[in-house]
């Protein structure tokens, strides 16, 4: 990372990270699975749970902050897709009173729905697999960067805020 | 770093939108199951089925009605450009206002429909719709989907007679999906125009059936019960634009009141 205008805190090595921190970092991912299962029909529930976990744990260390944040933000799009799927499905069957035959028929006008369903399925699968890998890595005191979310979380947790180093000097009144 | 984040976001969006778009165009359902059955075989099975059906149905054998149905039939056939099917139309004594197409171009009309229609054109409209189901092979599609091609072909080699009956039930009772209904309507409207029958007749008969059956929620009527969008279908047939040169040719030889009285 040869950045000129932004600087980052150094990343810790696995040996430097205490077990307690590793477990909390891993918990971020595992917590999401539990919340996701519980909140499936109403995805807002798992978002709230994820937010709570993140705010409770983020101050503990940058390593935990990184993992908890990565887990939180990677969950948001998946949750949105799932919410959209639930909404769309209910709408198809109840509001527009389609039958299963309609929606499942060959060459029907529901291709867009089917495409969305498969995309959502793939998104959930990716989320699930990569979260599991990340949870194991976190347990070992390692980093695991998701595409996009990984860099975002790294930036968020390790980015040096310009205000951080400013030394406030107290002066007598002039 | 910020630039890289945006780049990866773009990659992620492209991947997922790509998946969506690809699966809109890649069919996930098997394509056209009706192609598994040749028209020749369909016709053979259809003839077997209709014989079995007529054994237990009450065929209306009235010379006046037969000649009327024959006239409507001939007029509609004249509107078909070409067809692989040998259409046969049977009138069965049944109070339901209904008609259905079985395999191989065998179409059954219930006498209730004749009684309830106010003109031969309205009966023609229903028949045109059913012919649409046959020509676009919706009936085969449905039966193959429900029962499978192997079982269907086993009828030809003298399979289980109980099974023959099962297929008949399938082709009478189960419903077409909305898209099939809609395309059968389109086909029917075009066919009516080609046969010099005013396509508005379809709206007339649909409206009558809707009014008759909307009061009783319990009644099941295969012809229209499939979907609650009857109004849309009526509207479509009212809005159907005929060719400028179109001229409706009435069934002058048919005294409809007399036909109705004879049922």
């Amino acid at each position: 990372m040869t950045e000129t205008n932004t600087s980052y805190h150094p990343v810790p090595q696995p040996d430097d990270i205490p077990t307690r921190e590793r477990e909390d970092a891993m918990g971020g991912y595992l917590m999401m699975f539990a919340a996701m299962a519980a909140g499936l029909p109403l995805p807002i529930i798992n978002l709230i749970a994820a937010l709570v976990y993140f705010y409770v744990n983020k101050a503990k260390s940058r390593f935990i902050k990184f993992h908890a944040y990565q887990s939180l933000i990677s969950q948001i799009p998946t949750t949105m897709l799932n919410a959209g799927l639930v909404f769309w499905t209910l709408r198809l069957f109840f509001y527009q009173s389609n039958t299963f035959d309609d929606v499942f028929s060959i060459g029907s006008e529901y291709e867009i729905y089917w495409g969305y369903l498969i995309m959502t399925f793939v998104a959930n699968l990716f989320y699930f697999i990569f979260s599991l890998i990340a949870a194991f890595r976190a347990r070992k005191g390692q980093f695991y960067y998701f595409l996009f979310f990984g860099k975002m979380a790294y930036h968020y947790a390790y980015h040096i805020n310009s205000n951080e180093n400013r030394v406030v000097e107290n002066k007598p009144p002039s | 770093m910020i630039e890289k984040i945006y780049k990866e976001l773009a990659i992620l969006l492209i991947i997922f939108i790509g998946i969506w778009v690809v699966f809109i165009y890649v069919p996930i359902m098997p394509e056209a199951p009706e192609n598994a059955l040749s028209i020749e075989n369909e016709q053979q099975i259809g003839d077997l089925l209709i014989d079995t059906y007529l054994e237990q149905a009450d065929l209306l054998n009235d010379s006046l009605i037969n000649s009327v149905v024959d006239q409507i039939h001939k007029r509609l056939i004249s509107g078909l450009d070409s067809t692989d099917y040998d259409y046969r139309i049977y009138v069965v004594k049944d109070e339901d206002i209904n008609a259905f197409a079985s395999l191989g171009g065998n179409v059954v009309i219930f006498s209730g429909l004749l009684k309830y229609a106010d003109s031969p054109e309205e009966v023609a409209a229903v028949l045109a719709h059913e012919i649409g189901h046959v020509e676009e092979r919706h009936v085969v599609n449905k039966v193959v989907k429900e029962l499978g091609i192997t079982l269907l072909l086993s009828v030809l080699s003298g399979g289980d007679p109980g099974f023959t009956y099962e297929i008949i039930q399938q082709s009478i009772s189960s419903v077409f999906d909305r898209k099939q209904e809609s395309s059968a309507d389109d086909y029917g409207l075009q066919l009516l125009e080609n046969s010099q029958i005013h396509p508005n007749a379809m709206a007339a008969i649909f409206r009558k059936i809707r009014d008759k059956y909307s009061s009783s929620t319990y009644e099941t009527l295969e012809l229209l019960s499939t979907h609650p969008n009857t109004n849309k279908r009526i509207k479509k047939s009212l809005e159907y634009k005929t060719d400028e040169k179109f001229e409706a040719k009435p069934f002058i030889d048919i005294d409809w009141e007399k036909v109705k009285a004879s049922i």
Side-chain angles (χ1 to χ4, degrees):
Chain A
M1 318 261 162
T2 51
E3 296 291 325
T4 46
N5 26 6
T6 351
S7 49
Y8 292 89
H9 293 286
V11 291
Q13 294 312 308
D15 289 344
D16 307 334
I17 301 167
T19 315
R20 179 77 212 153
E21 273 187 31
R22 299 173 180 196
E23 279 170 356
D24 282 348
M26 175 182 71
Y29 297 100
L30 300 187
M31 163 77 194
M32 301 311 168
F33 290 134
M36 211 159 178
L40 204 56
L42 269 181
I44 193 74
I45 295 173
N46 51 343
L47 269 188
I48 292 170
L51 274 170
V52 169
Y53 189 90
F54 171 69
Y55 278 107
V56 167
N57 289 287
K58 71 167 186 172
K60 289 183 182 167
S61 82
R62 289 189 197 285
F63 182 71
I64 297 174
K65 194 177 179 182
F66 163 79
H67 279 295
Y69 189 70
Q70 173 163 264
S71 172
L72 171 67
I73 57 173
S74 61
Q75 179 190 250
I76 292 171
T78 321
T79 305
M80 298 284 195
L81 287 175
N82 290 348
L85 185 67
V86 171
F87 176 74
W88 196 345
T89 309
L90 290 180
R91 198 183 139 81
L92 275 182
F93 286 108
F94 291 98
Y95 180 70
Q96 300 179 334
S97 56
N98 286 286
T99 61
F100 269 100
D101 269 3
D102 287 332
V103 180
F104 285 84
S105 62
I106 292 143
S108 70
E109 65 259 54
Y110 303 103
E111 283 99 351
I112 299 177
Y113 172 79
W114 285 109
Y116 183 82
L117 187 130
I118 290 175
M119 178 185 68
T120 307
F121 177 77
V122 172
N124 277 283
L125 195 71
F126 278 14
Y127 171 75
F128 194 80
I129 293 169
F130 289 122
S131 289
L132 272 184
I133 297 172
F136 280 116
R137 291 285 188 87
R139 180 70 185 79
K140 288 183 190 160
Q142 296 168 4
F143 284 80
Y144 186 70
Y145 302 106
F146 292 172
L147 188 68
F148 171 62
F149 303 109
K151 287 203 168 58
M152 237 178 113
Y154 170 76
H155 179 78
Y156 176 74
Y158 283 90
H159 160 233
I160 296 172
N161 195 318
S162 53
N163 292 327
E164 249 171 59
N165 296 332
R166 190 183 292 155
V167 182
V168 179
E169 200 184 341
N170 289 337
K171 289 175 187 162
S174 49
Chain B
M1 178 58 89
I2 304 286
E3 258 171 43
K4 278 186 189 159
I5 291 176
Y6 282 125
K7 214 170 95 189
E8 291 192 354
L9 173 64
I11 295 172
L12 206 62
L13 285 177
I14 288 168
I15 291 175
F16 279 93
I17 292 172
I19 292 174
W20 191 352
V21 171
V22 163
F23 280 99
I24 288 174
Y25 291 105
V26 174
I28 41 174
M29 301 284 167
E31 206 66 65
E34 62 266 26
N35 291 342
L37 189 69
S38 71
I39 290 187
E40 206 172 87
N41 279 345
E42 182 192 340
Q43 194 96 48
Q44 278 176 302
I45 296 172
D47 293 347
L48 246 153
L49 291 183
I50 202 72
D51 289 346
T52 317
Y53 173 77
L54 292 175
E55 272 168 26
Q56 50 89 42
D58 199 356
L59 193 66
L60 194 73
N61 233 334
D62 182 282
S63 58
L64 176 63
I65 289 174
N66 283 349
S67 82
V68 165
V69 169
D70 203 43
Q71 278 188 57
I72 299 175
H73 178 188
K74 283 209 178 94
R75 181 77 84 80
L76 288 173
I77 296 299
S78 73
L80 284 170
D81 294 336
S82 67
T83 179
D84 298 322
Y85 290 99
D86 174 18
Y87 284 95
R88 301 232 178 96
I89 295 166
Y90 304 89
V91 183
V92 161
K93 269 187 209 150
D94 195 315
E95 285 305 303
D96 278 348
I97 304 168
N98 202 3
F100 68 88
S102 179
L103 293 172
N106 292 302
V107 181
V108 174
I109 311 178
F110 290 4
S111 58
L113 176 73
L114 295 179
K115 218 187 229 172
Y116 204 64
D118 283 326
S119 67
E121 280 81 4
E122 291 178 10
V123 177
V126 172
L127 282 175
H129 172 89
E130 297 302 333
I131 288 175
H133 279 311
V134 175
E135 287 292 325
E136 303 197 337
R137 307 201 79 194
H138 296 157
V139 192
V140 197
N141 174 297
K142 186 175 72 182
V143 177
V144 172
K145 227 163 44 179
E146 299 280 340
L147 300 170
I149 185 72
T150 330
L151 284 173
L152 205 53
L153 287 172
S154 77
V155 173
L156 279 182
S157 51
D160 184 0
F163 189 68
T164 315
Y165 200 74
E166 173 63 24
I167 302 176
I168 297 167
Q169 281 306 315
Q170 277 294 339
S171 60
I172 301 172
S173 62
S174 68
V175 293
F176 296 108
D177 66 53
R178 189 177 288 185
K179 184 154 190 185
Q180 289 175 328
E181 287 297 348
S182 162
S183 79
D185 283 351
D186 292 342
Y187 193 96
L189 290 168
Q190 183 67 53
L191 178 57
L192 286 175
E193 182 181 355
N194 293 348
S195 322
Q196 290 183 286
I197 299 169
H198 204 289
N200 284 1
M202 194 177 275
I205 189 71
F206 280 176
R207 187 184 285 139
K208 271 179 207 149
I209 297 172
R210 179 197 62 190
D211 293 346
K212 162 110 175 149
Y213 283 92
S214 60
S215 48
S216 57
T217 47
Y218 182 72
E219 292 275 5
T220 53
L221 178 79
E222 287 77 26
L223 193 64
L224 283 184
S225 71
T226 322
H227 297 296
N229 62 345
T230 314
N231 290 335
K232 218 185 270 170
R233 295 173 64 187
I234 292 172
K235 194 162 162 255
K236 189 167 79 179
S237 49
L238 282 177
E239 285 171 353
Y240 181 84
K241 286 249 181 316
T242 52
D243 195 81
E244 275 176 21
K245 280 176 260 166
F246 173 78
E247 206 178 310
K249 201 167 93 188
F251 289 93
I252 33 170
D253 303 340
I254 299 177
D255 180 354
W256 193 247
E257 288 311 314
K258 209 168 142 197
V259 173
K260 282 173 92 165
S262 72
I263 299 165

